[in-house]
Amino acid sequence: MPEHRDVVVIGAGQAGLAMSRHLVDRGIDHVVLERDTIAHEWRDSRWDNFTLVTPNWQCVLPGYRYDGPDPHGFMPRDEVYRWVRDYAGTFDPPVREHVEVTAVTPAVTGFDLETGSGPLHADQVVVAVGGYHVPTVPRFAERLPDTITQLHSARYRSAAELPPGAVLVVGTGQSGAQIAEDLHLAGRRVHLAAGDAPRVARFYRGRDCVAWLQDMGHYDIPVQDQPGGLARRENTNHYVTGRDGGRDIDLRRFALEGMALHGRMIDFADGTAHFAPTLERSLDAADAVAESIKDSIDGYIERRGIDAPTEARYVPVWRPEREITEIDLAAHDITTVLWSVGFRTDYGWLRAGVFDGAGHPCHHRGVTATAGLYFLGLPWLHTWGSGRFAAIARDAAHLADRITVLARDTAAA
């Protein structure tokens, strides 16, 4: 007979631990299965100079919050890792490390699980493995010569680990923009292919923009009530940084300092990288988003009669004289191409009919149409903070309430 548990939580990052804390508090039998080790993603999938882009005061887990000396600062990678690991030490969650879940299948009642340590049966299952599983690169990357080092942003650690020469960074989401800055500050010659990611100012009118938006209730708006509705889940995050106490990432400023900017990379052939003529449009669109956020903050300050310092609006410091749509990698001494173009999901082990045509889970606030199957920790699971520390505790509490009701109904049956 396979081992039976009332609830199996898959994944021991901050989402899985938050779920476990609620289940412990409710006295619900469960186990947390982790393929690697607790919080390993924070240590293994971020670069050396990584910092949070949200302030430390937003770091909240059930029964636990950041209480260090710098609430308005931004924890670096290793400190975040220790913070999450320390959280696990506050309540001794039933985590089994180095246990990979290879299959979850709905049964007549509950779910059958195949794992690296043997079969399990669970009445309910919480999937807390995030939404970024398999790094993606475009197929034309296969045409780059072997002399070019290629790596995904998930594998980048530092400029010192790359071969000498210039670096082409492809993509300007949060990771791409911050890694380009990291290379730039390390003195490397950087070419950056900009995508359509928006940006946000770090500070405005005397405060971090995150603090203003928190007070405005922006982070409590459910995804279905956001402009674009559920499609918001596919949006690229705004780029900004928490490095050195936090600041804007201004690609135009980087260009003045010598970084070469290009539009979206669309192909590679015969030693030449090709770019769409989209750079100026991308820069203008990113700035427009940042300024629209400032507009909303201005409106909030005016409506509430808040005494806040005024601040001059951003004026672009650089514009491309022309769109450079192709460059010869060898001629520009580009020895590394760093792909920061996203991830795809991989739920092939979850054999339940709860996915859309693109492989994304279908759910409402983490609750799927399959009774007893839940997701936690996904970007925009319910609100902006669902994939961050800001709202995981709230999302986990919501699911724990559902789990508790179903567990009582199952026990009474």
Side-chain angles (χ1 to χ4, degrees):
M1 290 286 292
E3 177 186 357
H4 175 268
R5 305 305 295 258
D6 290 352
V7 180
V8 170
V9 180
I10 304 173
Q14 62 267 20
L17 294 174
M19 189 76 256
S20 181
R21 173 61 189 266
H22 279 295
L23 297 178
V24 167
D25 289 349
R26 287 164 169 77
I28 294 177
D29 169 70
H30 71 287
V31 65
V32 183
L33 304 181
E34 169 54 54
R35 180 179 60 186
D36 200 297
T37 58
I38 291 173
H40 72 96
E41 287 285 341
W42 286 106
R43 179 194 61 195
D44 298 340
S45 298
R46 271 83 174 181
W47 58 97
D48 293 352
N49 290 319
F50 172 92
T51 68
L52 294 177
V53 298
T54 51
N56 295 333
W57 56 261
Q58 271 202 334
C59 294
V60 180
L61 292 171
Y64 190 74
R65 63 176 57 245
Y66 176 87
D67 63 355
D70 192 14
H72 298 286
F74 308 87
M75 283 190 283
R77 179 194 63 187
D78 293 347
E79 189 174 340
V80 179
Y81 174 67
R82 289 193 298 271
W83 186 77
V84 178
R85 296 279 303 191
D86 288 348
Y87 175 58
T90 65
F91 68 101
D92 193 26
V95 177
R96 297 180 186 174
E97 297 182 319
H98 304 295
V99 177
E100 182 176 8
V101 176
T102 56
V104 176
T105 307
V108 175
T109 59
F111 302 86
D112 293 323
L113 291 85
E114 299 174 18
T115 81
S117 63
L120 278 169
H121 182 80
D123 296 330
Q124 303 185 69
V125 172
V126 180
V127 180
V129 297
Y132 307 121
H133 303 148
V134 181
T136 59
V137 298
R139 290 300 303 266
F140 61 75
E142 299 167 9
R143 295 197 289 273
L144 269 71
D146 294 340
T147 54
I148 299 293
T149 296
Q150 297 189 61
L151 73 161
H152 192 272
S153 58
R155 300 291 174 260
Y156 172 74
R157 294 296 173 267
S158 71
E161 292 188 0
L162 302 183
V167 182
L168 170 59
V169 179
V170 182
T172 51
Q174 279 187 3
S175 294
Q178 290 177 79
I179 289 172
E181 180 193 46
D182 190 56
L183 292 164
H184 181 63
L185 293 176
R188 300 298 289 265
R189 171 65 171 166
V190 179
H191 292 256
L192 177 61
D196 58 0
R199 76 182 187 97
V200 61
R202 177 78 276 167
F203 303 103
Y204 182 60
R205 298 193 67 174
R207 301 178 74 199
D208 193 310
C209 283
V210 171
W212 284 120
L213 293 171
Q214 175 87 4
D215 289 352
M216 292 161 60
H218 176 77
Y219 299 138
D220 296 324
I221 302 173
V223 62
Q224 63 268 20
D225 296 332
Q226 292 279 345
L230 295 181
R232 192 67 175 257
R233 290 174 173 160
E234 304 305 312
N235 285 8
T236 305
N237 290 324
H238 301 64
Y239 58 83
V240 68
T241 184
R243 188 164 174 173
D244 299 326
R247 57 172 173 258
D248 294 5
I249 289 183
D250 185 355
L251 302 186
R252 299 180 193 271
R253 175 66 61 184
F254 291 162
L256 284 181
E257 296 170 351
M259 185 181 294
L261 303 185
H262 310 281
R264 181 170 51 87
M265 187 173 178
I266 56 176
D267 200 5
F268 177 84
D270 300 324
T272 300
H274 297 269
F275 307 93
T278 56
L279 174 60
E280 187 162 21
R281 185 171 73 238
S282 294
L283 295 174
D284 287 345
D287 288 345
V289 171
E291 294 306 296
S292 71
I293 293 171
K294 293 177 182 177
D295 288 341
S296 66
I297 293 171
D298 284 344
Y300 174 75
I301 290 171
E302 183 176 356
R303 290 192 303 273
R304 293 299 182 95
I306 297 171
D307 183 14
T310 58
E311 181 175 327
R313 286 301 191 90
Y314 174 78
V315 176
V317 297
W318 177 88
R319 285 192 175 278
E321 295 180 1
R322 60 187 180 90
E323 297 271 357
I324 300 174
T325 57
E326 59 181 52
I327 58 172
D328 183 287
L329 298 193
H332 288 81
D333 191 32
I334 294 173
T335 58
T336 301
V337 175
L338 199 153
W339 303 103
S340 186
V341 292
F343 298 77
R344 63 177 175 84
T345 60
D346 181 10
Y347 293 106
W349 48 272
L350 182 50
R351 300 165 184 171
V354 295
F355 300 98
D356 63 18
H360 301 301
C362 298
H363 63 87
H364 176 70
R365 202 172 175 180
V367 180
T368 75
T370 297
L373 180 62
Y374 314 92
F375 288 86
L376 180 64
L378 296 177
W380 287 103
L381 183 97
H382 178 52
T383 63
W384 171 90
S386 291
R388 300 169 172 86
F389 289 119
I392 286 176
R394 178 172 59 189
D395 290 347
H398 175 76
L399 293 185
D401 289 343
R402 298 293 295 259
I403 289 168
T404 301
V405 170
L406 185 55
R408 289 173 179 167
D409 291 346
T410 301

